Amino acid sequence: NPKLHREAMRYLVNDIYPCIQGEGVNTGVPMMLARLHGCPVECVFCDTRETWTIDPDMEVNALRAALGTSTRYARVSPEIIVEQIDELNPRRGITDILLTGGEPANQDLNELVRVVHARGYTVNLETSGTALGHVDAEADWVCISPKMDNPSDLPVLPEAVAMADEITWVVGRASDIEEMLTFVDKYPVPDKCNICVQPMSQSRHATEVCMEACERYGFRLSIQVHKYLSIR
Ligand code: SF4
């Protein structure tokens, strides 16, 4: 994939902090979230827009200077990233890392995954399925949230989907379930993959549509616990 940032194994990092996974199969699991910077997908409902643009004016030298700012990012080695994670997790109570974005798979994740594995962490990844930076990396859990009609028209790639342990599908109405069934037919979704349906904007109607689909097809209900708790 020519769009991957391969430059000397340095990663664009927007933020690192401990969190509780709020959605999907691993809801409730504490994780050290590493938000990588940069995303070309431009989803309408994106809640991390500040990660979209790789603006040199927003780049800072020290990772610490980027943390908590949302808008700034640092370009750092995997070793610096894992040191920062350890510093924020001094008792090593958290054993999982969540690589998210932005679009983390726009960067070649191989080296980063190798380094955090060597430090004993389990690697979870969240991606839109529009990039392939995770395909050679050995993440332990890959969650794909396919952004099918994204404004940038970036296609969801079959090679990305073939890596999925979990697919999260946002549902507003019954026709979204039909679209998801078509997606599962058309793409190489692995047999072991969990399908999670997620009601849009905590709507009652969407939740009912999702619950019915779970009971009918055996999907998992993902209810974005963090939004009910007003935490990030
Ligand atoms: Fe936002 Fe994720 Fe969509 Fe990128 S892929 S625009 S980070 S929701």
Side-chain angles (χ1 to χ4, degrees):
N1 184 338
K3 287 189 181 161
L4 296 180
H5 299 281
R6 292 184 183 278
E7 183 198 310
M9 290 308 151
R10 285 179 183 266
Y11 292 87
L12 279 55
V13 181
N14 176 282
D15 212 349
I16 295 177
Y17 55 88
C19 73
I20 306 291
Q21 174 58 281
E23 55 192 56
V25 172
N26 295 318
T27 296
V29 177
M31 297 187 180
M32 290 302 301
L33 181 150
R35 188 179 303 293
L36 301 194
H37 193 84
C39 183
V41 184
E42 300 179 2
C43 301
V44 176
F45 296 108
C46 181
D47 54 10
T48 54
R49 284 169 181 259
E50 60 280 3
T51 66
W52 287 9
T53 309
I54 301 172
D55 174 358
D57 287 345
M58 289 295 159
E59 184 170 331
V60 290
N61 288 331
L63 177 54
R64 198 184 294 266
L67 302 188
T69 65
S70 298
T71 50
R72 299 186 187 279
Y73 66 94
R75 193 180 295 265
V76 290
S77 68
E79 288 77 14
I80 298 277
I81 294 172
V82 83
E83 273 168 28
Q84 184 62 63
I85 287 170
D86 276 352
E87 193 181 314
L88 293 168
N89 182 33
R91 300 169 67 94
R92 292 296 298 259
I94 297 178
T95 57
D96 281 65
I97 287 181
L98 176 61
L99 296 179
T100 187
E103 175 43 86
N106 254 11
Q107 305 184 55
D108 181 345
L109 297 172
N110 215 351
E111 184 67 7
L112 178 56
V113 171
R114 192 186 62 71
V115 170
V116 292
H117 267 163
R119 200 68 73 101
Y121 285 103
T122 299
V123 180
N124 299 261
L125 170 72
E126 292 178 343
T127 169
S128 64
T130 59
L132 299 177
H134 63 299
V135 168
D136 295 328
E138 298 191 352
D140 301 283
W141 188 264
V142 176
C143 175
I144 301 201
S145 303
K147 315 291 188 196
M148 300 304 285
D149 298 319
N150 63 76
S152 59
D153 280 335
L154 283 170
V156 173
L157 304 169
E159 303 91 318
V161 174
M163 306 299 295
D165 296 288
E166 173 179 5
I167 288 178
T168 303
W169 198 269
V170 177
V171 173
R173 48 182 189 256
S175 60
D176 294 329
I177 300 288
E178 298 305 320
E179 277 178 26
M180 196 209 58
L181 292 169
T182 306
F183 174 87
V184 171
D185 262 358
K186 183 174 156 203
Y187 277 83
V189 176
D191 289 344
K192 57 159 189 172
C193 183
N194 296 271
I195 309 286
C196 294
V197 284
Q198 191 157 286
M200 187 181 282
S201 310
Q202 296 84 52
S203 128
R204 182 74 220 166
H205 174 69
T207 305
E208 281 167 8
V209 169
C210 287
M211 287 168 67
E212 200 182 309
C214 289
E215 289 166 10
R216 190 160 174 195
Y217 300 108
F219 303 149
R220 299 275 294 246
L221 182 66
S222 173
I223 54 161
Q224 292 192 291
V225 171
H226 50 294
K227 297 214 170 157
Y228 288 90
L229 298 176
S230 302
I231 53 176
R232 62 178 181 167

